Amino acid sequence: KKDATLASLREAFPRITLRIWGNQWEKRSARILDDCVMGVGITGDDYARGICASKISLGLLSEARRGASSGDLITARTFQIPACGAFMLHERNPEVLEYFSEDSEAAFFGNHAELAEKVGRYLADADSRDRIARNGRERSMRSDYSVDARMSHVTSFIEAARGGRRTQ
């Protein structure tokens, strides 16, 4: 799915600089992506720098695995991109829209045609990209989407389920 999505984007914009970081892209079937695949994943500070250096960072989701009720609806990138103060264009679904307001805190797409339309629009409109990125970061901070905050929430949930007893 990611292969087809990025190939459609490359076909729509053959001259843009498209960089694909991550593992297992050697298994891609779309040869149009050959010059886009960097061949390695990036982590830590390099990951944050990569996000911040991009005009548009995509939030692509994985397909459903056998036995799963759905594929991804959100990923770590869903929160990392806005938290870095970068512009995010994410696959639209009801769950991600609970976290970020469309066209205010992040941009969303539902199919390949809409992805191409939004990439074209936002590449040409730096002011909107900057406004949305700024609002997305503010939302991330205001809503406390950090890993520490989420883990605190999970820990509290587990403690409540155990009747207030802490685990050692």
Side-chain angles (χ1 to χ4, degrees), residues 1-13 16 18 20 25 33 56-61 87-92 102-103 107-124:
K1 175 184 150 207
K2 290 178 184 179
D3 196 0
T5 299
L6 292 175
S8 76
L9 184 59
R10 187 67 169 171
E11 289 167 1
F13 297 96
I16 64 168
L18 177 63
I20 303 170
W25 280 96
L33 299 175
I56 298 174
S57 291
L58 297 178
L60 300 180
L61 302 171
F87 176 82
M88 178 173 69
L89 180 53
H90 196 283
E91 288 186 64
R92 183 186 299 106
E102 187 160 7
D103 297 328
F108 298 94
F109 68 95
N111 56 46
H112 294 172
E114 188 178 15
L115 171 62
E117 183 271 321
K118 295 273 178 102
V119 165
R121 177 192 321 169
Y122 288 114
L123 282 177

Side-chain angles (χ1 to χ4, degrees), residues 6-157:
L6 292 175
S8 76
L9 184 59
R10 187 67 169 171
E11 289 167 1
F13 297 96
R15 297 190 195 283
I16 64 168
T17 301
L18 177 63
R19 295 289 176 253
I20 303 170
W21 300 93
N23 300 314
Q24 304 210 18
W25 280 96
E26 68 278 359
K27 297 177 183 177
R28 70 189 171 282
S29 58
R31 303 295 17 134
I32 194 170
L33 299 175
D34 286 353
D35 65 336
C36 305
V37 175
M38 300 294 95
V40 296
I42 53 176
T43 59
D45 290 343
D46 289 337
Y47 178 66
R49 277 192 282 279
I51 289 171
C52 290
S54 301
K55 290 181 180 177
I56 298 174
S57 291
L58 297 178
L60 300 180
L61 302 171
S62 294
E63 295 175 280
R65 303 278 191 250
R66 187 174 42 182
S69 59
S70 74
D72 289 341
L73 299 174
I74 58 173
T75 70
R77 283 183 306 282
T78 303
F79 302 99
Q80 293 163 342
I81 295 168
C84 284
F87 176 82
M88 178 173 69
L89 180 53
H90 196 283
E91 288 186 64
R92 183 186 299 106
N93 65 70
E95 185 168 343
V96 73
L97 293 171
E98 292 178 21
Y99 295 101
F100 295 99
S101 296
E102 187 160 7
D103 297 328
S104 171
E105 299 166 336
F108 298 94
F109 68 95
N111 56 46
H112 294 172
E114 188 178 15
L115 171 62
E117 183 271 321
K118 295 273 178 102
V119 165
R121 177 192 321 169
Y122 288 114
L123 282 177
D125 189 353
D127 290 341
S128 289
R129 278 196 328 266
D130 292 346
R131 176 185 48 79
I132 290 169
R134 194 171 43 256
N135 291 345
R137 176 160 170 72
E138 289 171 7
R139 174 66 183 268
S140 296
M141 305 315 286
R142 183 177 65 252
S143 297
D144 214 0
Y145 291 158
S146 71
V147 172
D148 289 344
R150 296 294 87 207
M151 288 310 299
S152 177
H153 178 76
V154 169
T155 301
S156 295
F157 178 82

